[in-house]
Amino acid sequence: MKNILVVGAGRFATHLMKKFHDLGDEILVIDISEERIKKVLPYVTSSLIGDSTDRDFMENVGVNNFDLCVVSIGDDFQSSLETTDLLKELGAKYVIARASRDVHEKFLLNNGADKVVYPEKNMAEWTAIRHSSSNIHDYIPVPGDYSIFEVEIPKSWVGKSIIDLNIRKDMHLNILALVNNDGLSMEYDPNDKFKEGQCVLVLGADKDLQKYLGLNY
C-alpha cells in the first residue's frame, strides 16, 4: 500500500484514482473545484479543495509524507508547471506530471518532474499498433527498442515446437507465455507443438518482432 497525492481531479486522474483505490492505496486528492472533488470521493481516502500553486496551502499538505505525487492539471499548463516545481521544493519524493503536448515534457522535467506521461498520445500509439496487424491481440511497450506482444503465431510455426524453431537463438525472441482460453500459461513444455491459431506472449527487439512475426508497426 502506498500513500499517493493526486493534484487535479479530471478524467485521467479519476481513472488513475479508481485503479489506485482498487490496489488498496491511500489517496489524497487536491483540486480547486468542489464539483470535481465530489465526483471522486468514492475512490479517495481524503480530499482538499484549494490552489496547488499556493505555497502556504501546499505546505500544510505534508507533501514529503507521500510515496508518490501525481500532477494531472490538463487544462492549465502554467499551473501544472508551478505545482510540479512547488512539490519538489517541498520535498516530494517522486513526481509524475501529465502532459498534453510533447513540448511540455522539457519544461516539466526541468521543473522537477521525475516522470512525464502523455495519456492521449500513449493510447493513440497503443491503438494504432494494436490494430496495425490482424494477428496482434495486445501490445506492451518496453523502454528501448523492445516490445512485448500478445500475438497469433505465424502459419509457418504450426506443427513445430519452440525447440524445433530454435526461437531464442535464431530469432532472438523470448516466449514469455502461451495464451489459452483460461489465460496465460507460463509453465509449458518447449517440445509441445504449436497449433493453428495459437497465441503467445513474446518479448523481443522491435526489428526481430517485425522480421519473424510479420508485425507492421
Side-chain angles (χ1 to χ4, degrees):
M1 182 184 73
K2 289 187 175 183
N3 290 315
I4 299 170
L5 170 64
V6 178
V7 181
R11 286 175 295 180
F12 170 69
T14 299
H15 289 298
L16 200 63
M17 288 185 282
K18 285 180 180 179
K19 189 59 181 179
F20 282 141
H21 175 266
D22 290 344
L23 294 171
D25 294 318
E26 304 240 343
I27 307 159
L28 166 63
V29 61
I30 294 173
D31 198 286
I32 202 166
S33 165
E34 182 178 1
E35 183 180 349
R36 285 195 294 264
I37 287 288
K38 287 180 178 178
K39 291 179 180 179
V40 300
L41 287 178
Y43 318 115
V44 303
T45 311
S46 54
S47 62
L48 290 171
I49 299 171
D51 183 357
S52 61
T53 66
D54 184 325
R55 175 177 285 274
D56 292 336
F57 172 73
M58 293 299 286
E59 281 181 343
N60 293 322
V61 172
V63 167
N64 60 322
N65 294 319
F66 292 90
D67 300 300
L68 171 66
C69 298
V70 180
V71 180
S72 180
I73 308 174
D75 56 353
D76 187 345
F77 180 63
Q78 184 62 35
S79 293
S80 179
L81 205 59
E82 291 179 22
T83 299
T84 300
D85 183 61
L86 185 54
L87 285 171
K88 274 301 185 179
E89 282 188 24
L90 296 176
K93 297 171 186 174
Y94 195 87
V95 178
I96 297 175
R98 177 195 173 194
S100 57
R101 293 161 56 184
D102 287 349
V103 71
H104 293 168
E105 179 178 23
K106 178 181 177 180
F107 293 102
L108 288 166
L109 291 173
N110 286 341
N111 280 268
D114 296 288
K115 176 74 174 178
V116 176
V117 296
Y118 308 80
E120 292 85 357
K121 177 183 177 182
N122 293 343
M123 180 52 68
E125 290 180 351
W126 181 90
T127 302
I129 291 175
R130 161 66 179 80
H131 295 281
S132 63
S133 299
S134 59
N135 56 337
I136 296 175
H137 291 238
D138 204 350
Y139 159 69
I140 306 169
V142 177
D145 298 324
Y146 290 82
S147 300
I148 297 174
F149 277 90
E150 179 186 334
V151 62
E152 188 175 321
I153 63 166
K155 293 188 181 299
S156 59
W157 289 20
V158 175
K160 300 175 183 176
S161 69
I162 292 174
I163 298 297
D164 294 335
L165 294 165
N166 209 4
I167 290 174
R168 179 173 293 181
K169 184 177 179 180
D170 291 350
M171 302 182 191
H172 315 293
L173 300 177
N174 290 285
I175 304 297
L176 303 179
L178 301 184
V179 183
N180 304 309
N181 292 333
D182 54 353
L184 299 178
S185 175
M186 301 184 70
E187 296 183 4
Y188 54 85
D189 187 341
N191 289 296
D192 286 347
K193 308 296 184 183
F194 286 116
K195 300 175 182 178
E196 186 173 356
Q198 174 76 59
C199 289
V200 295
L201 200 65
V202 57
L203 164 68
D206 291 330
K207 61 182 179 62
D208 294 320
L209 290 163
Q210 292 166 355
K211 179 179 180 180
Y212 294 106
L213 292 176
L215 303 181
N216 179 26
Y217 65 96

